[in-house]
Amino acid sequence: MTVATHSHRRYRIQHPTIRDVMRDMRIPATDPGPGDRVPDFDLPTTDSGRFASEQFADASRPVLLVFGSLTCPVTESAGNGLHELHARYGRQVRFVMVNVREAHPGEATTQPETAKGKQRHASGLESHHGFPFEVAVDDIDGSLHRAFGTRPSSAYVIDPTGTIVFRAHWSNITDALDEALAAVVAGHQPPRATAGHTLRSMAKMTGHADVAFANAGSGAMRDTWRAAPPFAAMIMLSRLFRFLPRDRRGVPTLVTMAAMLALFVVVGLLALT
């Protein structure tokens, strides 16, 4: 790996802060995007293979590159959709999940401090989701992850020349990935170059967050209350809707939060009169 656009100094975060959360939500203009070549990299995979930028020189297939971790609610909520995409496009597209730092480390799944530890986490991620495609392991300081930007779980469609043709800021927006892959497989450019949809992503991952935090273990939820109270509150409220499929719990959770906020405002105004 030769390029990294974000400092490694606070990459291996043990206890995320609000500053970390806000930084990772940003998408600087310097981050690679559609039209850019992928940076140089060479990573091991859990099956003793390699995932390297030099492979694009002889590539005949495009690549779907996804970043994720075992304790990331976005990754957790993307799992089923990635399985469906692989079933649809796996023969024509190379799928690679790159295991990065833990989004919400806890006592059960700590932030790895060694290459062997990170390899174990990558194997755990692969086993947890049952991914039928390659899982690569970023280095301990997240060189590839930092080169693309440290969002916890983004996704990129890369053509056989090594050029990014589509960027999804969040990997669980799998309908946008489907649209991009269908176009690339047909020999066309994706109809849109990027997909943001932060609110949709947050809503979708809300119902899956309990699974990611269970993977993390004790301490992860406490850190989340300290760093991002609204997100922690969403997770707690989503438990009221356990009777719904996980993908459908986010919208009623957001509506409930909005209603509670409105009620607090009204009560506060009445108290002032």
Side-chain angles (χ1 to χ4, degrees):
M1 170 62 58
T2 60
V3 178
T5 59
H6 295 256
S7 171
H8 69 280
R9 293 179 181 176
R10 275 195 56 78
Y11 183 74
R12 284 179 271 164
I13 299 169
Q14 298 294 344
H15 302 285
T17 66
I18 185 61
R19 180 181 178 185
D20 298 321
V21 172
M22 296 307 297
R23 182 181 62 241
D24 291 348
M25 295 286 284
R26 293 176 56 246
I27 305 171
T30 54
D31 282 2
D36 294 329
R37 296 270 305 176
V38 295
D40 293 337
F41 64 90
D42 186 356
L43 304 179
T45 60
T46 56
D47 60 358
S48 301
R50 308 297 299 182
F51 176 47
S53 54
E54 65 181 17
Q55 293 169 345
F56 285 102
D58 301 315
S60 59
R61 296 189 297 167
V63 170
L64 175 62
L65 166 62
V66 183
F67 294 101
S69 70
L70 187 61
T71 61
C72 174
V74 177
T75 309
E76 181 65 35
S77 62
N80 290 338
L82 293 175
H83 273 274
E84 293 172 3
L85 291 176
H86 185 264
R88 195 171 302 140
Y89 302 108
R91 293 185 179 181
Q92 301 151 295
V93 177
R94 182 183 183 184
F95 281 58
V96 183
M97 168 69 72
V98 175
N99 183 70
V100 298
R101 70 181 177 193
E102 294 302 331
H104 296 281
E107 290 186 6
T109 305
T110 60
Q111 197 67 265
E113 294 293 337
T114 65
K116 287 185 178 180
K118 199 157 188 175
Q119 182 83 25
R120 286 195 297 270
H121 283 214
S123 295
L125 175 65
E126 180 179 31
S127 175
H128 173 70
H129 286 281
F131 286 139
F133 47 82
E134 297 168 272
V135 175
V137 190
D138 201 2
D139 65 41
I140 195 65
D141 287 318
S143 295
L144 184 62
H145 191 202
R146 289 185 292 113
F148 275 83
T150 54
R151 288 168 298 284
S153 190
S154 54
Y156 299 78
V157 178
I158 304 165
D159 72 17
T161 72
T163 300
I164 299 167
V165 296
F166 178 79
R167 176 177 68 190
H169 299 169
W170 307 102
S171 67
N172 62 354
I173 306 300
T174 50
D175 56 341
L177 291 174
D178 190 358
E179 180 183 67
L181 291 173
V184 170
V185 165
H188 307 303
Q189 288 291 312
R192 48 181 169 166
T194 62
H197 304 297
T198 295
L199 188 59
R200 275 186 60 200
S201 175
M202 297 302 103
K204 184 175 181 179
M205 64 96 185
T206 297
H208 296 263
D210 273 349
V211 179
F213 280 86
N215 292 336
S218 178
M221 180 58 76
R222 180 187 63 239
D223 287 343
T224 302
W225 275 111
R226 292 172 177 172
F231 177 38
M234 285 174 60
I235 296 171
M236 297 295 290
L237 283 174
S238 72
R239 295 170 182 171
L240 298 173
F241 304 99
R242 286 176 175 167
F243 57 90
L244 294 174
R246 291 187 181 277
D247 283 353
R248 296 176 56 191
R249 297 177 191 176
V251 171
T253 298
L254 290 172
V255 170
T256 301
M257 286 189 68
M260 291 176 64
L261 179 61
L263 178 61
F264 290 150
V265 170
V266 170
V267 171
L269 291 175
L270 290 175
L272 294 173
T273 60

